[in-house]
Amino acid sequence: MKTRNSYYISRNNVLAWLMALLLTASAVTRIMFFGVKGSEPAPNFWGLCALPVAACLLYAAIALFNGKEQFYRTAIPVWMIALYFFLRVRTLHLGYMVSSLYFICLFCFAVAYQLITCGKIGGTVLLLPMYIAIAGPLLYLNQNLLSNGGWKRFLLSDLLMLFALFVTVFAIRLHPADEYHPTWGDRVDGRRIHSQPPMDQLMPYLMITRNSCTNLFAEAFEITAAERYIRQKRREGLTNFGLTHVLLACYVRGIAKYPALNRFISGQKVYTHGNDIIFCMTIKKEMSTQAPETIIKLHLTPRDTAEDVYRKMTAAVESVKSTPLDSSFDVTAHAFTMIPSLLLKFFIWLLKAMDYFGFIPAFLLEVSPFHGSVFFTSMGSLGVPPVYHHLYDFGNLPVFASFGCKRKSYELTADGTIVAKKYIDCQFSLDDRIVDGFYYASFLKYFKRTFMHPEVLDTPPEEVLQDIE
Protein backbone atom coordinates (compact mmCIF):
# COMPACT_ATOMS: atom_id res chain seq x y z
CA MET A 1 0.00 0.00 0.00
CA LYS A 2 1.14 3.55 -0.69
CA THR A 3 2.27 5.46 2.35
CA ARG A 4 0.55 8.71 3.24
CA ASN A 5 0.60 11.03 6.20
CA SER A 6 -2.21 10.62 8.68
CA TYR A 7 -2.81 13.38 11.21
CA TYR A 8 -4.71 13.44 14.47
CA ILE A 9 -5.54 15.58 17.48
CA SER A 10 -5.55 14.11 20.96
CA ARG A 11 -7.98 15.19 23.64
CA ASN A 12 -5.06 15.01 26.07
CA ASN A 13 -3.47 17.98 24.32
CA VAL A 14 -4.24 21.27 26.06
CA LEU A 15 -4.06 23.08 22.72
CA ALA A 16 -6.99 21.01 21.46
CA TRP A 17 -9.12 22.29 24.33
CA LEU A 18 -7.90 25.85 23.77
CA MET A 19 -8.95 25.52 20.12
CA ALA A 20 -12.39 24.27 21.14
CA LEU A 21 -12.74 27.11 23.67
CA LEU A 22 -11.84 29.74 21.08
CA LEU A 23 -14.26 28.32 18.53
CA THR A 24 -17.04 28.18 21.11
CA ALA A 25 -16.28 31.78 22.10
CA SER A 26 -16.42 32.78 18.43
CA ALA A 27 -19.84 31.16 18.07
CA VAL A 28 -21.18 32.73 21.28
CA THR A 29 -19.94 36.25 20.50
CA ARG A 30 -21.34 36.03 16.98
CA ILE A 31 -24.78 35.16 18.33
CA MET A 32 -24.53 37.94 20.93
CA PHE A 33 -23.43 40.61 18.45
CA PHE A 34 -25.71 39.56 15.62
CA GLY A 35 -28.63 41.59 16.96
CA VAL A 36 -26.52 44.67 17.74
CA LYS A 37 -27.60 47.56 15.56
CA GLY A 38 -25.00 49.13 13.29
CA SER A 39 -24.81 51.57 10.42
CA GLU A 40 -24.59 48.70 7.93
CA PRO A 41 -27.77 47.00 6.70
CA ALA A 42 -29.08 44.09 8.76
CA PRO A 43 -26.91 41.07 7.87
CA ASN A 44 -28.19 37.79 6.48
CA PHE A 45 -28.80 35.47 9.46
CA TRP A 46 -28.23 32.14 7.68
CA GLY A 47 -25.12 33.16 5.78
CA LEU A 48 -23.40 35.43 8.28
CA CYS A 49 -24.46 33.97 11.62
CA ALA A 50 -25.85 30.43 11.40
CA LEU A 51 -23.23 29.22 8.89
CA PRO A 52 -20.09 30.28 10.83
CA VAL A 53 -21.60 29.29 14.19
CA ALA A 54 -22.34 25.80 12.84
CA ALA A 55 -18.86 25.61 11.31
CA CYS A 56 -17.15 26.53 14.58
CA LEU A 57 -19.11 24.07 16.68
CA LEU A 58 -18.78 21.29 14.09
CA TYR A 59 -15.02 21.78 13.84
CA ALA A 60 -14.62 21.63 17.62
CA ALA A 61 -16.83 18.52 17.88
CA ILE A 62 -14.97 16.63 15.14
CA ALA A 63 -11.55 17.55 16.53
CA LEU A 64 -12.40 16.59 20.11
CA PHE A 65 -14.55 13.51 19.61
CA ASN A 66 -13.23 12.07 16.32
CA GLY A 67 -9.87 13.79 16.06
CA LYS A 68 -7.94 10.62 16.83
CA GLU A 69 -9.05 8.75 13.69
CA GLN A 70 -11.09 11.21 11.59
CA PHE A 71 -9.38 14.57 11.88
CA TYR A 72 -9.54 14.84 8.09
CA ARG A 73 -13.30 15.45 8.43
CA THR A 74 -12.58 18.93 9.77
CA ALA A 75 -12.32 19.87 6.10
CA ILE A 76 -16.14 20.01 6.07
CA PRO A 77 -16.42 22.94 8.54
CA VAL A 78 -13.40 24.58 6.86
CA TRP A 79 -15.33 24.65 3.58
CA MET A 80 -18.22 26.22 5.51
CA ILE A 81 -15.84 28.85 6.94
CA ALA A 82 -14.49 29.63 3.46
CA LEU A 83 -18.05 30.07 2.19
CA TYR A 84 -18.82 32.39 5.09
CA PHE A 85 -15.88 34.68 4.34
CA PHE A 86 -16.85 34.80 0.69
CA LEU A 87 -20.42 35.79 1.60
CA ARG A 88 -19.04 38.37 4.01
CA VAL A 89 -16.90 40.00 1.33
CA ARG A 90 -19.82 39.95 -1.08
CA THR A 91 -21.85 42.11 1.34
CA LEU A 92 -19.20 44.85 1.11
CA HIS A 93 -19.69 45.46 -2.63
CA LEU A 94 -15.96 45.74 -3.26
CA GLY A 95 -16.23 45.09 -6.96
CA TYR A 96 -16.08 42.04 -9.15
CA MET A 97 -12.28 41.85 -9.35
CA VAL A 98 -11.61 42.03 -5.60
CA SER A 99 -14.42 39.60 -4.80
CA SER A 100 -13.20 37.15 -7.42
CA LEU A 101 -9.61 37.24 -6.16
CA TYR A 102 -10.71 36.71 -2.59
CA PHE A 103 -12.99 33.87 -3.68
CA ILE A 104 -10.06 32.18 -5.48
CA CYS A 105 -7.94 32.62 -2.37
CA LEU A 106 -10.61 31.06 -0.15
CA PHE A 107 -11.22 28.20 -2.57
CA CYS A 108 -7.51 27.38 -2.79
CA PHE A 109 -7.29 27.53 1.01
CA ALA A 110 -10.16 25.04 1.47
CA VAL A 111 -8.79 22.66 -1.18
CA ALA A 112 -5.28 22.83 0.30
CA TYR A 113 -6.62 22.22 3.82
CA GLN A 114 -8.49 19.11 2.66
CA LEU A 115 -5.47 17.74 0.77
CA ILE A 116 -3.11 18.41 3.67
CA THR A 117 -5.30 16.96 6.42
CA CYS A 118 -5.94 13.76 4.46
CA GLY A 119 -2.20 13.38 3.81
CA LYS A 120 -2.18 13.96 0.07
CA ILE A 121 0.32 16.85 0.06
CA GLY A 122 2.89 18.61 2.24
CA GLY A 123 2.61 19.03 5.97
CA THR A 124 0.46 20.92 8.41
CA VAL A 125 3.00 23.74 8.69
CA LEU A 126 1.77 24.90 5.27
CA LEU A 127 -1.52 25.83 6.92
CA LEU A 128 0.08 28.73 8.82
CA PRO A 129 0.72 31.01 5.81
CA MET A 130 -2.74 30.11 4.51
CA TYR A 131 -4.39 31.36 7.70
CA ILE A 132 -2.33 34.55 7.46
CA ALA A 133 -3.46 34.96 3.84
CA ILE A 134 -7.07 34.78 5.05
CA ALA A 135 -6.59 37.02 8.10
CA GLY A 136 -4.60 39.70 6.22
CA PRO A 137 -7.41 40.84 3.94
CA LEU A 138 -9.77 40.60 6.91
CA LEU A 139 -7.74 43.11 8.93
CA TYR A 140 -7.18 45.36 5.92
CA LEU A 141 -10.87 45.50 5.08
CA ASN A 142 -11.71 46.12 8.72
CA GLN A 143 -9.29 49.05 8.87
CA ASN A 144 -10.86 50.67 5.82
CA LEU A 145 -14.47 49.95 6.66
CA LEU A 146 -14.53 50.21 10.44
CA SER A 147 -15.82 53.76 10.28
CA ASN A 148 -18.81 52.51 8.35
CA GLY A 149 -19.42 49.57 10.67
CA GLY A 150 -18.75 47.15 7.81
CA TRP A 151 -16.76 44.52 9.73
CA LYS A 152 -17.04 45.82 13.27
CA ARG A 153 -19.99 43.64 14.19
CA PHE A 154 -18.21 40.32 13.51
CA LEU A 155 -14.54 41.29 13.83
CA LEU A 156 -14.00 39.68 17.24
CA SER A 157 -15.80 36.48 16.22
CA ASP A 158 -13.79 36.22 13.00
CA LEU A 159 -10.48 36.76 14.76
CA LEU A 160 -11.33 34.17 17.41
CA MET A 161 -12.23 31.70 14.66
CA LEU A 162 -8.98 32.24 12.76
CA PHE A 163 -6.87 32.21 15.91
CA ALA A 164 -8.46 28.87 16.86
CA LEU A 165 -7.47 27.42 13.49
CA PHE A 166 -3.99 28.86 13.96
CA VAL A 167 -3.68 27.14 17.37
CA THR A 168 -4.89 23.87 15.85
CA VAL A 169 -1.76 23.64 13.68
CA PHE A 170 0.38 23.26 16.80
CA ALA A 171 -1.98 20.62 18.25
CA ILE A 172 -1.85 18.34 15.19
CA ARG A 173 0.26 15.19 15.48
CA LEU A 174 1.34 12.59 12.95
CA HIS A 175 0.33 8.93 13.24
CA PRO A 176 3.15 6.33 12.90
CA ALA A 177 4.02 5.78 9.25
CA ASP A 178 3.43 2.01 9.35
CA GLU A 179 -0.20 2.33 10.48
CA TYR A 180 -3.23 2.87 8.29
CA HIS A 181 -5.90 5.31 9.42
CA PRO A 182 -9.21 6.27 7.75
CA THR A 183 -9.48 8.86 5.04
CA TRP A 184 -12.12 10.14 2.62
CA GLY A 185 -14.13 7.30 1.10
CA ASP A 186 -13.55 4.93 4.02
CA ARG A 187 -16.27 3.65 6.34
CA VAL A 188 -16.26 3.21 10.08
CA ASP A 189 -15.92 -0.55 9.56
CA GLY A 190 -13.73 -0.69 6.47
CA ARG A 191 -11.16 0.83 4.12
CA ARG A 192 -12.15 1.58 0.53
CA ILE A 193 -10.39 -0.46 -2.17
CA HIS A 194 -9.44 1.89 -5.03
CA SER A 195 -7.08 -0.11 -7.25
CA GLN A 196 -9.37 -2.90 -8.46
CA PRO A 197 -9.63 -3.61 -12.20
CA PRO A 198 -12.40 -1.57 -13.90
CA MET A 199 -14.65 -4.59 -14.44
CA ASP A 200 -14.45 -5.54 -10.78
CA GLN A 201 -15.46 -2.00 -9.83
CA LEU A 202 -18.48 -2.19 -12.16
CA MET A 203 -19.74 -5.58 -10.93
CA PRO A 204 -21.47 -4.25 -7.77
CA TYR A 205 -23.49 -1.89 -9.98
CA LEU A 206 -24.48 -4.69 -12.39
CA MET A 207 -25.13 -7.31 -9.70
CA ILE A 208 -26.72 -5.37 -6.88
CA THR A 209 -28.15 -7.78 -4.31
CA ARG A 210 -25.87 -10.08 -2.36
CA ASN A 211 -28.02 -13.18 -2.77
CA SER A 212 -28.06 -12.86 -6.56
CA CYS A 213 -24.25 -12.93 -6.49
CA THR A 214 -23.83 -15.93 -4.21
CA ASN A 215 -21.59 -18.85 -5.16
CA LEU A 216 -22.14 -22.14 -3.34
CA PHE A 217 -19.24 -24.40 -2.42
CA ALA A 218 -19.19 -27.72 -0.57
CA GLU A 219 -16.21 -29.59 0.87
CA ALA A 220 -15.67 -32.60 3.14
CA PHE A 221 -12.85 -32.49 5.70
CA GLU A 222 -11.21 -35.63 7.08
CA ILE A 223 -10.96 -35.00 10.83
CA THR A 224 -8.44 -37.55 12.15
CA ALA A 225 -5.71 -34.93 12.61
CA ALA A 226 -8.21 -32.37 13.92
CA GLU A 227 -9.57 -34.77 16.57
CA ARG A 228 -6.05 -35.60 17.71
CA TYR A 229 -5.31 -31.89 17.93
CA ILE A 230 -8.54 -31.26 19.90
CA ARG A 231 -7.66 -33.97 22.43
CA GLN A 232 -4.23 -32.43 22.88
CA LYS A 233 -5.72 -28.97 23.50
CA ARG A 234 -8.18 -30.31 26.04
CA ARG A 235 -5.33 -31.99 27.91
CA GLU A 236 -3.61 -28.59 27.97
CA GLY A 237 -6.58 -27.08 29.80
CA LEU A 238 -8.81 -25.81 26.97
CA THR A 239 -11.69 -27.95 28.21
CA ASN A 240 -14.32 -26.87 25.66
CA PHE A 241 -12.01 -26.77 22.65
CA GLY A 242 -13.72 -28.25 19.58
CA LEU A 243 -14.09 -28.34 15.82
CA THR A 244 -15.62 -24.85 15.70
CA HIS A 245 -12.44 -23.38 17.13
CA VAL A 246 -10.26 -25.30 14.68
CA LEU A 247 -12.34 -24.27 11.67
CA LEU A 248 -12.44 -20.64 12.73
CA ALA A 249 -8.70 -20.58 13.46
CA CYS A 250 -8.09 -22.05 9.98
CA TYR A 251 -10.25 -19.31 8.48
CA VAL A 252 -8.31 -16.64 10.36
CA ARG A 253 -5.01 -18.15 9.20
CA GLY A 254 -6.30 -18.22 5.64
CA ILE A 255 -6.99 -14.47 5.72
CA ALA A 256 -3.38 -13.90 6.81
CA LYS A 257 -2.36 -15.32 3.41
CA TYR A 258 -5.41 -14.30 1.37
CA PRO A 259 -6.48 -10.93 2.83
CA ALA A 260 -9.04 -10.18 0.10
CA LEU A 261 -11.41 -12.66 1.80
CA ASN A 262 -11.89 -9.95 4.41
CA ARG A 263 -13.49 -7.57 1.89
CA PHE A 264 -17.14 -6.62 1.66
CA ILE A 265 -19.51 -4.72 -0.62
CA SER A 266 -21.41 -1.68 0.63
CA GLY A 267 -22.98 1.09 -1.39
CA GLN A 268 -21.83 -0.61 -4.63
CA LYS A 269 -18.21 -0.15 -3.54
CA VAL A 270 -15.61 -2.60 -2.30
CA TYR A 271 -14.06 -2.22 1.16
CA THR A 272 -11.78 -4.27 3.36
CA HIS A 273 -11.92 -4.83 7.11
CA GLY A 274 -8.11 -4.97 7.05
CA ASN A 275 -6.77 -6.88 10.05
CA ASP A 276 -10.12 -6.84 11.86
CA ILE A 277 -11.77 -10.22 11.22
CA ILE A 278 -15.33 -9.91 12.52
CA PHE A 279 -16.86 -13.29 13.36
CA CYS A 280 -20.59 -13.77 13.98
CA MET A 281 -22.34 -16.88 15.25
CA THR A 282 -25.78 -17.88 16.50
CA ILE A 283 -25.88 -19.78 19.78
CA LYS A 284 -28.56 -21.18 22.08
CA LYS A 285 -28.53 -20.69 25.82
CA GLU A 286 -29.86 -24.22 26.23
CA MET A 287 -30.21 -27.16 23.84
CA SER A 288 -33.99 -27.16 23.66
CA THR A 289 -36.58 -26.06 21.12
CA GLN A 290 -37.93 -23.47 23.55
CA ALA A 291 -34.54 -21.89 24.29
CA PRO A 292 -34.06 -18.55 22.53
CA GLU A 293 -31.24 -17.92 20.07
CA THR A 294 -28.81 -15.06 20.41
CA ILE A 295 -25.84 -13.70 18.50
CA ILE A 296 -22.21 -13.46 19.53
CA LYS A 297 -19.76 -11.24 17.70
CA LEU A 298 -16.03 -11.13 18.24
CA HIS A 299 -13.04 -9.42 16.67
CA LEU A 300 -10.09 -11.57 15.61
CA THR A 301 -6.81 -10.75 13.88
CA PRO A 302 -4.78 -12.67 11.26
CA ARG A 303 -2.10 -13.27 13.92
CA ASP A 304 -4.45 -15.06 16.31
CA THR A 305 -3.56 -18.64 17.20
CA ALA A 306 -6.06 -21.41 17.92
CA GLU A 307 -5.74 -20.65 21.64
CA ASP A 308 -6.45 -16.95 21.01
CA VAL A 309 -9.58 -17.89 19.06
CA TYR A 310 -10.70 -20.24 21.85
CA ARG A 311 -10.26 -17.69 24.63
CA LYS A 312 -11.99 -14.87 22.76
CA MET A 313 -14.89 -17.07 21.74
CA THR A 314 -15.29 -18.59 25.21
CA ALA A 315 -15.36 -15.13 26.78
CA ALA A 316 -18.05 -14.00 24.31
CA VAL A 317 -20.20 -17.08 24.89
CA GLU A 318 -19.90 -16.88 28.67
CA SER A 319 -20.80 -13.19 28.71
CA VAL A 320 -24.02 -13.98 26.82
CA LYS A 321 -25.00 -17.04 28.83
CA SER A 322 -24.43 -15.33 32.17
CA THR A 323 -26.64 -12.31 31.49
CA PRO A 324 -30.47 -12.34 31.59
CA LEU A 325 -30.73 -9.81 28.75
CA ASP A 326 -28.79 -11.98 26.29
CA SER A 327 -26.47 -10.14 23.92
CA SER A 328 -26.51 -6.47 22.98
CA PHE A 329 -28.10 -7.56 19.70
CA ASP A 330 -31.14 -8.87 21.57
CA VAL A 331 -31.48 -5.64 23.52
CA THR A 332 -31.28 -3.57 20.32
CA ALA A 333 -33.72 -5.85 18.48
CA HIS A 334 -36.17 -5.63 21.39
CA ALA A 335 -35.96 -1.82 21.24
CA PHE A 336 -36.85 -1.94 17.54
CA THR A 337 -39.93 -4.05 18.23
CA MET A 338 -41.27 -1.28 20.45
CA ILE A 339 -41.57 1.02 17.42
CA PRO A 340 -45.00 1.04 15.71
CA SER A 341 -45.09 -0.96 12.47
CA LEU A 342 -45.35 1.95 10.06
CA LEU A 343 -42.57 3.88 11.77
CA LEU A 344 -40.47 0.72 11.99
CA LYS A 345 -40.73 0.25 8.23
CA PHE A 346 -39.49 3.81 7.73
CA PHE A 347 -36.75 3.33 10.33
CA ILE A 348 -35.47 0.19 8.57
CA TRP A 349 -35.46 2.09 5.26
CA LEU A 350 -33.48 4.84 6.95
CA LEU A 351 -30.99 2.31 8.32
CA LYS A 352 -30.52 0.85 4.83
CA ALA A 353 -29.93 4.33 3.40
CA MET A 354 -27.43 5.13 6.16
CA ASP A 355 -25.70 1.80 5.56
CA TYR A 356 -25.46 2.53 1.83
CA PHE A 357 -23.62 5.79 2.47
CA GLY A 358 -21.64 4.48 5.45
CA PHE A 359 -23.34 6.65 8.07
CA ILE A 360 -24.45 3.95 10.54
CA PRO A 361 -22.80 4.69 13.91
CA ALA A 362 -20.11 2.30 15.12
CA PHE A 363 -22.15 1.19 18.15
CA LEU A 364 -24.97 -0.05 15.88
CA LEU A 365 -22.52 -1.85 13.60
CA GLU A 366 -21.08 -3.57 16.65
CA VAL A 367 -24.44 -5.12 17.63
CA SER A 368 -25.52 -5.94 14.08
CA PRO A 369 -25.17 -9.62 13.04
CA PHE A 370 -25.47 -8.51 9.41
CA HIS A 371 -22.14 -6.67 9.41
CA GLY A 372 -18.90 -8.61 9.65
CA SER A 373 -16.40 -10.85 7.88
CA VAL A 374 -17.92 -14.31 8.22
CA PHE A 375 -20.92 -15.99 9.82
CA PHE A 376 -20.37 -19.54 11.10
CA THR A 377 -23.18 -21.89 12.02
CA SER A 378 -22.70 -25.34 13.53
CA MET A 379 -25.38 -27.71 12.31
CA GLY A 380 -23.39 -30.57 13.84
CA SER A 381 -24.46 -29.48 17.31
CA LEU A 382 -28.04 -30.06 16.13
CA GLY A 383 -27.18 -33.48 14.70
CA VAL A 384 -28.04 -32.59 11.09
CA PRO A 385 -26.07 -32.06 7.86
CA PRO A 386 -24.98 -28.54 6.86
CA VAL A 387 -27.12 -26.22 4.77
CA TYR A 388 -26.39 -23.59 2.15
CA HIS A 389 -27.37 -20.57 4.17
CA HIS A 390 -28.41 -17.46 2.29
CA LEU A 391 -26.40 -14.25 2.57
CA TYR A 392 -28.11 -11.15 3.92
CA ASP A 393 -28.91 -8.35 1.48
CA PHE A 394 -28.88 -5.95 4.40
CA GLY A 395 -25.45 -5.38 5.90
CA ASN A 396 -22.17 -6.49 4.38
CA LEU A 397 -21.46 -10.13 5.36
CA PRO A 398 -19.76 -11.76 2.32
CA VAL A 399 -19.30 -15.32 3.63
CA PHE A 400 -21.65 -17.73 5.40
CA ALA A 401 -20.16 -21.09 6.46
CA SER A 402 -22.13 -24.08 7.74
CA PHE A 403 -20.71 -27.39 8.94
CA GLY A 404 -22.57 -30.52 9.94
CA CYS A 405 -22.19 -33.46 12.27
CA LYS A 406 -19.41 -36.05 12.01
CA ARG A 407 -19.95 -38.94 9.65
CA LYS A 408 -18.09 -42.15 8.88
CA SER A 409 -16.99 -43.20 5.44
CA TYR A 410 -15.56 -46.60 4.50
CA GLU A 411 -12.92 -46.26 1.81
CA LEU A 412 -10.88 -48.68 -0.25
CA THR A 413 -7.12 -48.15 -0.04
CA ALA A 414 -4.54 -48.93 -2.71
CA ASP A 415 -3.70 -52.33 -1.19
CA GLY A 416 -7.35 -53.40 -1.20
CA THR A 417 -8.14 -52.95 2.48
CA ILE A 418 -11.14 -51.06 3.73
CA VAL A 419 -10.60 -48.31 6.29
CA ALA A 420 -13.10 -46.22 8.19
CA LYS A 421 -12.55 -42.46 8.18
CA LYS A 422 -14.40 -39.61 9.82
CA TYR A 423 -15.49 -36.50 7.94
CA ILE A 424 -17.41 -33.33 8.49
CA ASP A 425 -19.14 -31.60 5.61
CA CYS A 426 -18.84 -27.84 5.19
CA GLN A 427 -20.85 -25.67 2.86
CA PHE A 428 -20.01 -22.09 2.01
CA SER A 429 -22.10 -19.27 0.56
CA LEU A 430 -19.72 -16.71 -0.95
CA ASP A 431 -20.24 -13.23 -2.37
CA ASP A 432 -18.85 -13.53 -5.89
CA ARG A 433 -18.10 -9.80 -6.20
CA ILE A 434 -15.33 -9.40 -3.62
CA VAL A 435 -12.80 -11.72 -5.37
CA ASP A 436 -12.72 -13.97 -8.42
CA GLY A 437 -13.17 -17.73 -8.49
CA PHE A 438 -9.45 -18.49 -8.68
CA TYR A 439 -8.84 -16.52 -5.48
CA TYR A 440 -11.68 -18.32 -3.69
CA ALA A 441 -10.33 -21.69 -4.85
CA SER A 442 -6.81 -20.86 -3.66
CA PHE A 443 -8.12 -19.79 -0.27
CA LEU A 444 -10.27 -22.90 0.20
CA LYS A 445 -7.38 -25.20 -0.75
CA TYR A 446 -5.16 -23.46 1.78
CA PHE A 447 -7.98 -23.65 4.34
CA LYS A 448 -8.20 -27.42 3.84
CA ARG A 449 -4.41 -27.93 4.04
CA THR A 450 -4.33 -25.99 7.30
CA PHE A 451 -7.19 -28.05 8.70
CA MET A 452 -5.31 -31.26 7.84
CA HIS A 453 -2.27 -29.97 9.78
CA PRO A 454 -3.81 -28.02 12.67
CA GLU A 455 -0.57 -27.93 14.69
CA VAL A 456 0.49 -24.89 12.65
CA LEU A 457 -2.27 -22.98 14.44
CA ASP A 458 -0.28 -23.06 17.69
CA THR A 459 1.98 -20.22 16.54
CA PRO A 460 1.20 -16.92 14.77
CA PRO A 461 1.86 -16.83 11.01
CA GLU A 462 5.33 -15.83 9.88
CA GLU A 463 3.87 -13.22 7.53
CA VAL A 464 0.56 -11.39 7.31
CA LEU A 465 -0.20 -10.03 3.86
CA GLN A 466 -2.11 -6.77 3.42
CA ASP A 467 -4.84 -6.15 0.88
CA ILE A 468 -4.30 -3.82 -2.06
CA GLU A 469 -4.88 -0.08 -1.72
Side-chain angles (χ1 to χ4, degrees), residues 69-85:
E69 291 292 335
Q70 296 182 338
F71 178 71
Y72 64 92
R73 289 185 179 271
T74 55
I76 297 173
V78 165
W79 277 99
M80 297 166 65
I81 291 171
L83 176 60
Y84 157 71
F85 280 118

Side-chain angles (χ1 to χ4, degrees), residues 12 15 27 52 84 127 166 245 315 319 442 469:
N12 297 327
L15 292 178
Y84 157 71
L127 294 173
F166 192 86
H245 304 99
S319 66
S442 301
E469 185 182 3

Side-chain angles (χ1 to χ4, degrees), residues 105 108-109 112-113 116 121 125-135:
C105 179
C108 293
F109 158 69
Y113 183 93
I116 290 171
I121 61 172
V125 68
L126 294 178
L127 294 173
L128 293 176
M130 294 180 190
Y131 293 146
I132 295 173
I134 299 298

Side-chain angles (χ1 to χ4, degrees), residues 10-277:
S10 173
R11 275 180 287 185
N12 297 327
N13 192 328
V14 66
L15 292 178
W17 290 99
L18 177 59
M19 171 270 299
L21 180 62
L22 291 170
L23 288 174
T24 304
S26 173
V28 171
T29 55
R30 188 175 301 276
I31 294 172
M32 289 173 58
F33 295 149
F34 182 79
V36 176
K37 294 183 178 180
S39 58
E40 60 175 317
N44 179 288
F45 171 76
W46 295 109
L48 302 182
C49 183
L51 179 63
V53 166
C56 288
L57 298 179
L58 181 60
Y59 192 104
I62 292 174
L64 286 180
F65 298 107
N66 291 314
K68 195 69 174 179
E69 291 292 335
Q70 296 182 338
F71 178 71
Y72 64 92
R73 289 185 179 271
T74 55
I76 297 173
V78 165
W79 277 99
M80 297 166 65
I81 291 171
L83 176 60
Y84 157 71
F85 280 118
F86 172 67
L87 295 175
R88 188 68 179 118
V89 170
R90 287 276 293 174
T91 63
L92 302 177
H93 307 293
L94 299 175
Y96 177 78
M97 184 62 69
V98 175
S99 298
S100 298
L101 289 174
Y102 198 61
F103 169 75
I104 293 172
C105 179
L106 291 168
F107 180 80
C108 293
F109 158 69
V111 170
Y113 183 93
Q114 181 167 337
L115 293 177
I116 290 171
T117 52
C118 71
K120 293 289 187 181
I121 61 172
T124 55
V125 68
L126 294 178
L127 294 173
L128 293 176
M130 294 180 190
Y131 293 146
I132 295 173
I134 299 298
L138 171 65
L139 296 175
Y140 174 78
L141 290 170
N142 176 72
Q143 179 182 0
N144 287 273
L145 298 169
L146 187 59
S147 59
N148 297 324
W151 282 74
K152 182 178 181 181
R153 182 178 302 199
F154 299 129
L155 176 62
L156 178 59
S157 300
D158 292 340
L159 290 179
L160 286 171
M161 180 194 300
L162 290 172
F163 187 59
L165 296 179
F166 192 86
V167 168
T168 304
V169 177
F170 299 97
I172 296 173
R173 298 292 182 267
L174 184 65
H175 278 295
D178 58 343
E179 296 180 1
Y180 183 87
H181 295 273
T183 187
W184 295 107
D186 293 343
R187 290 167 52 99
V188 175
D189 55 343
R191 170 177 64 84
R192 172 85 183 276
I193 300 290
H194 293 278
S195 55
Q196 280 189 301
M199 188 59 191
D200 291 346
Q201 296 182 43
L202 283 177
M203 287 306 293
Y205 291 91
L206 301 174
M207 303 171 69
I208 298 174
T209 61
R210 195 165 283 105
N211 270 309
S212 64
C213 308
T214 302
N215 284 338
L216 306 177
F217 179 84
E219 182 61 275
F221 296 98
E222 207 275 322
I223 62 173
T224 301
E227 285 191 322
R228 183 170 58 248
Y229 182 70
I230 290 169
R231 290 192 294 270
Q232 173 193 337
K233 288 299 173 185
R234 289 179 177 176
R235 286 194 297 268
E236 293 174 359
L238 308 184
T239 54
N240 294 318
F241 193 86
L243 278 172
T244 302
H245 304 99
V246 179
L247 289 167
L248 184 55
C250 290
Y251 193 90
V252 167
R253 187 58 53 90
I255 288 182
K257 186 174 178 63
Y258 297 96
L261 259 292
N262 208 21
R263 294 178 186 173
F264 63 92
I265 303 288
S266 190
Q268 269 75 64
K269 297 176 180 61
V270 183
Y271 299 83
T272 175
H273 289 296
N275 290 330
D276 185 19
I277 305 171

Side-chain angles (χ1 to χ4, degrees), residues 219 377 379-380 384-389 401-405 424-427:
E219 182 61 275
T377 181
M379 306 304 291
V384 296
V387 297
Y388 288 113
H389 198 288
S402 170
F403 62 96
C405 55
I424 59 166
D425 297 310
C426 286
Q427 296 181 344

